[in-house]
Amino acid sequence: MSLRSCFPSKWRHKRWTNMKLYATQSQTLMTQETHIVSTNKAITECGRNGQLVTARNLFDQMPIRTVVSWNTMLCGYSKWAKFDESLSLVSTMHRSNVKLNETTFSTILSVCAQLNSLIDGKQIHCLVLKSGYECFEFVGSGLLFFYANCFEIEEAKRVFDELHEDNELLWSLMLVGYVQCNLMSDAFDVFIKMPKRDVVAWTKLISGYAKSVDGCEKALKLFRWMRESGENMPNEYTFDSVIRACARLGAFCEGKVVHGLLIKCGFEFDESIGGALIEFYCGCEAFDDAMRVYDRLENPCLNASNSLINGLISMGRIEDAELIFNRLTEANSISYNSMIKGYAVYGQVDDSKRLFEKMPHRSIISLNTMISVYSRNGEIEKALKLFEETKEERNPVTWNSMISGYVQNNLHEKALQLYMTMRKLAIDRTRSTFSVLFHACSCLGSLQQGQLLHAHLVKTPFESNVYVGTSLVDMYSRCGSINDAQASFSSISSPNVAAWTALMNGYSHHGLGSEAVLLFEIMLEQDIVPNAATFVGVLSACVRAGLVNEGMKIFRSMKSYGVVPTLEHYTCVVDLLGRSGHLHEAEEFIKDMPIEADAVVWGALLSACWFWMNMEVGERAAQKMFGLDTKPISAYVILSNIYAVLGKWGKKMDIRKRLTHLELKKDPGCSWIELNSRVHAFSVEDRNNPNCNVIYATLEHLTANLNSVVLFD
């Protein structure tokens, strides 16, 4: 009996049908799987090439998606910084009950880190904890990176403490987090405890210290330790950080040694290192070395070229800078702006204009630079025209440039008016805005305007800024409010030598010589090194207060602070000796000066002779002034007054004849009054004021009343 006859025919048919159905389902599943894989590959390719719209269309048309499909689309968005789309996709993925895996979590945590989106990141953290994926290396690393990037360093440390034993990647990330938050002591502690230190860890710590002047010494010590330990060889990024640390310290010898080491390691021609070397040598004013490094680079990067151009311009080597600029195959706006500004600083305004006209693409930075150039050259109308052209793209620097232009051209009221327009339009004000405007108030002598600006300043973060504070001290000093100047100085967070000097000048201006000397001594106790301007201020204070011994002692101490006396300092000493009656000593002091005295120095002596009525020394001083100045009006006037007081009428008439023959006229004095935040100046027979008729009528009325009172008495 055959085997086939043992089974009923019905059973055999059903079995055959089931087998066909199974085969069909298997074939369908294989087809679907093949389609999913091929579509995922297509999405990956589109994502790699930035074709995100095409990738999303492919993704949306998929009838069935796997977690890989979602992650592929997510990675595409993340790669091209479409962070909002990434978050939206993960949200949809979660609502669709698709299980997020380690790739999803690590990618979206990176997105939250780059967005600094703390709320979204914490929500993802909750999902990580629920799913138990925190122990996966890349997920744990993503969590720590997210918190560190959002500057939530305590949260980052909590993640590190919980996971670092099973995840070696967290050591480097924790180090990076501390460096980003400038917690260098904590970063160093992590570095010391690291089970294994690679070149990235060494470089990150060195670069962290190298970013601040205070940490540069530590950066160099770490570099020496790295080399001595032999754990790792420094790479190009290590050398870049070390060279920049040397530049910040001005450590020329150490930098030369590092230069030698990187040549041995074969990094001399690296573009980034070449740029760092050029900046280092420019910072140390070794421009020939910088030029040699530049010439050795096969294709010097634009940053290196711009650094060299700026360095050469700062040292007045405008022709060398021009040579580098002309060699550039493609200059950017920084290159053009540097040269435009350089030409202007050294008086080559026509070259500035020519280069500006030649610029292929003018940015707002270029326009701001040119506004400053026109203003510096006294072409305020051209500057204003350019300012009007920037209407649609102005930034705070544009407004500051125009305000500065008005102040430079003595149009102080227009500067204040422009500031009011700026304020009405809600343009952000910077420290430069207030510094320039306080200077305008100083020039106007307008205390009311200065106080109004000060009230605006209080509402900004700049009140304690040293540059703004210094301008404020100077404004109050010049406008006669020394108490406000003192209070403004006290509000400066870390006063520098310019701030101390400004208050010293204020004391000097108000005849408070003893206070100025005391302030100078306090400044020295604070380890603030005085500069040339400081000595002018304190010596002027000594002159006004008659502090001869103190003044001479301060003058003799100048060289110990590395300050070489200039004509301005010698003038102060002559004035100090002369006013105190030591005229012959002052004359001998001038003769012994290592530099030739100018008319101002001899003028100080002549003024002292007028005070003490010393005709003999006065005549010698006046003769010196006649030889140095073609039209020494003050010398003729002072000598004439000395002769008049001493009864030398013949000599006085002779001086007056010489004055008439030279057609010299002394500038008239003037006085001013501030009314309704506006300064009105007056001089003898001045009829420029629009209300002059009313003013003169009022003056005549007052004079008549005074005369009647005198007659009555």
Side-chain angles (χ1 to χ4, degrees), residues 73-241:
M73 193 67 236
L74 178 63
C75 289
Y77 279 139
S78 176
K79 176 182 170 65
W80 295 96
K82 300 292 182 181
F83 300 135
D84 291 333
E85 289 85 344
S86 299
L87 288 170
S88 176
L89 187 70
V90 169
S91 178
T92 306
M93 183 181 180
H94 182 56
R95 288 198 308 271
S96 302
N97 295 318
V98 179
K99 188 178 179 183
L100 282 64
N101 65 10
E102 64 270 26
T103 303
T104 320
F105 285 126
S106 59
T107 305
I108 199 62
L109 283 167
S110 174
V111 167
C112 293
Q114 292 176 83
L115 273 177
N116 290 323
S117 179
L118 191 60
I119 295 172
D120 291 319
K122 285 189 172 183
Q123 288 176 350
I124 298 296
H125 191 176
C126 291
L127 290 176
V128 169
L129 294 174
K130 285 180 182 179
S131 61
Y133 276 106
E134 69 271 15
C135 294
F136 283 77
E137 271 195 344
F138 292 114
V139 178
S141 302
L143 278 169
L144 199 153
F145 175 69
F146 157 67
Y147 282 119
N149 222 51
C150 293
F151 297 96
E152 292 287 326
I153 201 67
E154 288 303 319
E155 292 293 335
K157 187 176 184 303
R158 192 172 291 116
V159 172
F160 175 79
D161 291 340
E162 290 176 4
L163 304 175
H164 76 272
E165 290 182 4
D166 300 316
N167 190 345
E168 287 189 1
L169 296 176
L170 298 184
W171 287 93
S172 292
L173 287 169
M174 194 68 239
L175 174 67
V176 170
Y178 279 134
V179 170
Q180 279 184 189
C181 295
N182 201 30
L183 299 169
M184 296 309 298
S185 297
D186 295 308
F188 187 75
D189 290 341
V190 169
F191 179 79
I192 293 296
K193 294 173 185 175
M194 287 180 80
K196 185 180 178 182
R197 293 187 287 259
D198 59 9
V199 67
V200 175
W202 282 97
T203 301
K204 194 64 190 178
L205 191 63
I206 289 169
S207 69
Y209 279 115
K211 284 175 183 173
S212 66
V213 176
D214 295 338
C216 286
E217 288 282 0
K218 184 78 171 178
L220 296 183
K221 285 180 182 177
L222 273 169
F223 179 67
R224 292 188 201 104
W225 180 24
M226 179 186 185
R227 292 186 59 236
E228 290 166 3
S229 70
E231 286 183 20
N232 299 101
M233 286 292 292
N235 62 16
E236 62 270 35
Y237 303 107
T238 321
F239 280 118
D240 186 280
S241 297

Side-chain angles (χ1 to χ4, degrees), residues 470-690:
T470 301
S471 299
L472 189 59
V473 170
D474 184 63
M475 184 275 293
Y476 277 127
S477 298
R478 289 172 181 264
C479 292
S481 183
I482 194 64
N483 291 332
D484 286 324
Q486 289 171 321
S488 299
F489 178 81
S490 300
S491 70
I492 299 173
S493 56
S494 297
N496 59 12
V497 65
W500 288 88
T501 302
L503 185 57
M504 229 171 282
N505 287 334
Y507 283 141
S508 171
H509 186 70
H510 287 79
L512 304 171
S514 299
E515 286 84 348
V517 173
L518 180 62
L519 187 69
F520 179 74
E521 291 170 354
I522 294 170
M523 185 191 82
L524 296 180
E525 289 172 5
Q526 298 284 331
D527 294 325
I528 305 293
V529 180
N531 59 20
T534 314
F535 281 107
V536 170
V538 71
L539 287 172
S540 298
C542 292
V543 169
R544 287 183 170 85
L547 303 172
V548 181
N549 294 332
E550 290 86 344
M552 293 307 296
K553 182 181 176 183
I554 289 168
F555 175 76
R556 294 187 190 104
S557 72
M558 285 179 66
K559 289 183 181 178
S560 63
Y561 295 102
V563 180
V564 178
T566 64
L567 283 171
E568 204 169 359
H569 300 104
Y570 287 115
T571 302
C572 289
V573 173
V574 171
D575 206 11
L576 177 66
L577 293 170
R579 287 198 191 198
S580 59
H582 300 88
L583 298 174
H584 291 287
E585 289 89 335
E587 189 176 14
E588 289 302 314
F589 178 83
I590 296 174
K591 291 176 182 177
D592 294 337
M593 280 169 53
I595 52 178
E596 187 178 353
D598 64 357
V600 179
V601 176
W602 287 107
L605 180 60
L606 182 58
S607 296
C609 292
W610 153 243
F611 183 81
W612 293 101
M613 286 301 144
N614 190 316
M615 186 177 72
E616 179 189 350
V617 178
E619 285 179 331
R620 289 198 293 269
Q623 287 302 320
K624 290 287 185 181
M625 290 183 71
F626 296 154
L628 292 167
D629 194 348
T630 54
K631 292 184 177 182
I633 302 174
S634 60
Y636 282 117
V637 172
I638 292 171
L639 195 58
S640 171
N641 291 339
I642 291 173
Y643 288 146
V645 172
L646 296 177
K648 306 291 183 179
W649 299 107
K651 289 186 175 183
K652 173 184 167 57
M653 293 307 297
D654 181 52
I655 291 291
R656 287 293 176 183
K657 284 177 184 177
R658 289 169 70 178
L659 267 171
T660 306
H661 178 70
L662 290 171
E663 297 181 351
L664 297 178
K665 185 178 180 182
K666 185 183 175 185
D667 292 331
C670 70
S671 58
W672 62 88
I673 185 172
E674 186 174 6
L675 186 65
N676 296 327
S677 298
R678 188 178 175 188
V679 176
H680 302 268
F682 300 94
S683 58
V684 177
E685 297 181 358
D686 180 16
R687 291 192 173 273
N688 291 326
N689 193 289

Side-chain angles (χ1 to χ4, degrees), residues 379-429:
E379 299 176 271
I380 197 67
E381 292 301 324
K382 288 184 179 180
L384 184 59
K385 183 181 177 183
L386 212 55
F387 177 76
E388 293 298 334
E389 288 176 13
T390 64
K391 201 164 190 178
E392 300 302 321
E393 50 182 337
R394 287 176 193 159
N395 59 20
V397 178
T398 318
W399 289 86
N400 291 342
S401 299
M402 195 64 234
I403 290 170
S404 297
Y406 278 136
V407 173
Q408 286 170 2
N409 289 272
N410 298 318
L411 299 168
H412 305 110
E413 289 185 353
K414 284 196 173 184
L416 291 167
Q417 288 167 7
L418 188 60
Y419 166 73
M420 294 309 295
T421 305
M422 180 184 182
R423 189 162 174 266
K424 286 174 185 173
L425 295 172
I427 307 296
D428 289 337
R429 294 160 293 174

Side-chain angles (χ1 to χ4, degrees), residues 438 441 446-458 472 475-476 479 481 484 674:
F438 284 131
C441 294
S446 176
L447 182 61
Q448 289 178 12
Q449 284 284 7
Q451 288 171 331
L452 181 66
L453 276 170
H454 192 178
H456 293 176
L457 174 66
V458 172
L472 189 59
M475 184 275 293
Y476 277 127
C479 292
S481 183
D484 286 324
E674 186 174 6

Side-chain angles (χ1 to χ4, degrees), residues 22-34:
Y22 175 76
T24 305
Q25 287 176 340
S26 297
Q27 192 175 2
T28 303
L29 286 171
M30 286 179 66
T31 305
Q32 286 177 345
E33 189 175 330
T34 304

Side-chain angles (χ1 to χ4, degrees), residues 6-25:
C6 296
F7 296 96
S9 61
K10 189 174 181 181
W11 183 88
R12 288 200 304 270
H13 176 74
K14 187 176 182 181
R15 179 172 174 272
W16 176 247
T17 305
N18 287 341
M19 286 177 68
K20 283 176 68 179
L21 181 62
Y22 175 76
T24 305
Q25 287 176 340

